[in-house]
């Protein structure tokens, strides 16, 4: 009986947590234009860099389901403005070595943009002597609903997990391949912009009560993405 009451309280707190974070994400999105108004290569590559982020699922965790909510801030060489993007990730651990992830959400940004993010990925965990401290991530995400372009993004990411005091680190490298299409009003034809972004990434995961507070940074030669997120594991 006591266990049932505790589980109900934890579920209630989790629902409140989800509601607050989702509200904050929507407020952040509605108060930023996201620079989705030019359809040039800089905007498309920056959007793809944002989409390349993946949920930090602990390889040795016994919990099967995770939610990860937060936001990312983009800093670029030669840009004074700081771009802010919302993040909502779900993950399900199928086996000891394999998880699937999903992004599926939308929001309002500016007068005509209604970005919709949809995609999925897999995370495979491995190591030596049954110590799962490496992960390989493959993720495909699409961005639609913008006035000036749409985007397809494919990410391949390699990470090493390390323990640091009471926290955990996730460090590694990755590459993001993108293809964006933007209307060319001068010639009335589709203008396709393709590219690839290579980056280094570092996450710090800090346990706080029954949640995990995460800080991620990913660095490219021209861009840096800083992300803050809260993660909750269930079951």
């Amino acid at each position: 009986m006591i266990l049932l009451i505790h589980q109900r309280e934890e579920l209630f707190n989790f629902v409140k947590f989800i509601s607050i974070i989702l509200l904050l994400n929507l407020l952040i999105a509605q108060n930023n234009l996201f620079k989705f108004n030019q359809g040039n290569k800089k905007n498309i590559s920056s959007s793809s860099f944002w989409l390349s982020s993946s949920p930090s699922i602990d390889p040795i965790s016994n919990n099967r389901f995770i939610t990860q909510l937060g936001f990312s801030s983009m800093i670029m060489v030669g840009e004074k403005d700081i771009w802010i993007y919302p993040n909502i990730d779900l993950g399900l651990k199928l086996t000891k070595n394999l998880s699937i992830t999903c992004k599926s959400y939308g929001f309002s940004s500016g007068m005509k943009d209604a970005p919709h993010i949809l995609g999925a990925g897999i995370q495979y965990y491995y190591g030596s002597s049954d110590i799962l401290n490496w992960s390989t991530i493959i993720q495909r995400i699409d961005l639609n609903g913008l006035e000036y372009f749409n985007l397809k993004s494919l990410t391949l990411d390699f990470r090493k997990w390390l323990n640091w005091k009471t926290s955990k680190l996730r460090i590694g490298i990755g590459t993001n391949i993108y293809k964006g299409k933007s209307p060319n009003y001068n010639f009335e034809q589709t203008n396709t912009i393709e590219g690839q972004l290579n980056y280094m990434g570092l996450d710090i995961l800090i346990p706080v009560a029954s949640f995990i507070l995460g800080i991620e940074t990913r660095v490219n030669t021209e861009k840096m993405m800083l992300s803050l997120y809260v993660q909750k594991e269930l079951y």
Side-chain angles (χ1 to χ4, degrees):
M1 187 66 178
I2 296 176
L3 179 61
L4 181 60
I5 293 175
H6 176 72
Q7 289 177 339
R8 287 180 177 177
E9 289 179 350
E10 185 173 356
L11 180 60
F12 179 69
N13 291 332
F14 176 66
V15 171
K16 289 196 300 183
F17 153 74
I18 291 290
S19 301
I20 292 171
I21 297 298
L22 286 176
L23 178 60
L24 289 174
N25 264 322
L26 290 174
L27 290 175
I28 289 172
Q30 290 171 347
N31 290 327
N32 288 274
L33 295 178
F34 281 75
K35 299 289 185 176
F36 293 156
N37 59 351
Q38 297 296 328
N40 59 30
K41 185 172 182 178
K42 179 179 64 176
N43 297 332
I44 291 177
S45 65
S46 297
S47 300
S48 186
F49 198 37
W50 158 50
L51 296 177
S52 68
S53 104
S54 59
S56 304
I57 302 178
D58 188 350
I60 63 173
S61 173
N62 293 322
N63 294 307
R64 297 192 62 187
F65 181 73
I66 72 105
T67 60
Q68 183 171 302
L69 310 174
F71 62 90
S72 296
S73 179
M74 178 84 70
I75 302 173
M76 295 187 297
V77 176
E79 277 286 335
K80 295 181 180 180
D81 296 330
I82 297 177
W83 302 2
I84 299 176
Y85 306 85
N87 296 313
I88 302 175
D89 291 277
L90 302 176
L92 178 64
K93 209 164 189 180
L94 299 178
T95 68
K96 178 181 178 181
N97 299 86
L98 184 66
S99 292
I100 57 174
T101 61
C102 173
K103 294 178 188 279
S104 181
Y105 60 98
F107 50 90
S108 175
S109 175
M111 295 296 293
K112 297 182 179 180
D113 288 334
H116 182 236
I117 294 88
L118 178 63
I122 60 172
Q123 298 190 9
Y124 180 72
Y125 315 113
Y126 52 95
S128 58
S129 303
D130 292 329
I131 300 176
L132 303 179
N133 56 0
W134 285 92
S135 66
T136 295
I137 300 166
I138 302 175
Q139 181 174 265
R140 161 69 188 275
I141 307 294
D142 290 352
L143 173 62
N144 297 300
L146 303 177
E147 182 182 5
Y148 289 97
F149 71 87
N150 57 47
L151 174 66
K152 299 182 185 299
S153 172
L154 178 65
T155 301
L156 180 61
D157 191 286
F158 301 94
R159 297 294 180 110
K160 174 72 177 289
W161 286 78
L162 302 168
N163 293 318
W164 181 60
K165 297 182 180 180
T166 59
S167 304
K168 291 194 173 182
L169 305 179
R170 189 179 74 143
I171 185 171
I173 59 173
T175 186
N176 173 252
I177 302 169
Y178 62 87
K179 182 177 182 180
K181 290 187 177 181
S182 173
N184 188 320
Y185 296 106
N186 293 328
F187 301 98
E188 297 184 354
Q189 62 185 9
T190 299
N191 180 20
T192 300
I193 300 175
E194 300 178 349
Q196 181 173 342
L197 297 167
N198 300 318
Y199 61 86
M200 296 184 295
L202 170 66
D203 289 68
I204 302 176
L205 290 85
I206 306 167
V208 179
S210 61
F211 300 94
I212 297 173
L213 175 63
I215 304 172
E216 180 194 20
T217 180
R218 281 177 293 132
V219 181
N220 176 262
T221 54
E222 299 179 350
K223 303 176 177 64
M224 183 177 75
M225 180 78 77
L226 178 64
S227 302
L228 299 176
Y229 56 84
V230 179
Q231 185 185 105
K232 176 66 176 176
E233 297 180 334
L234 295 174
Y235 309 108

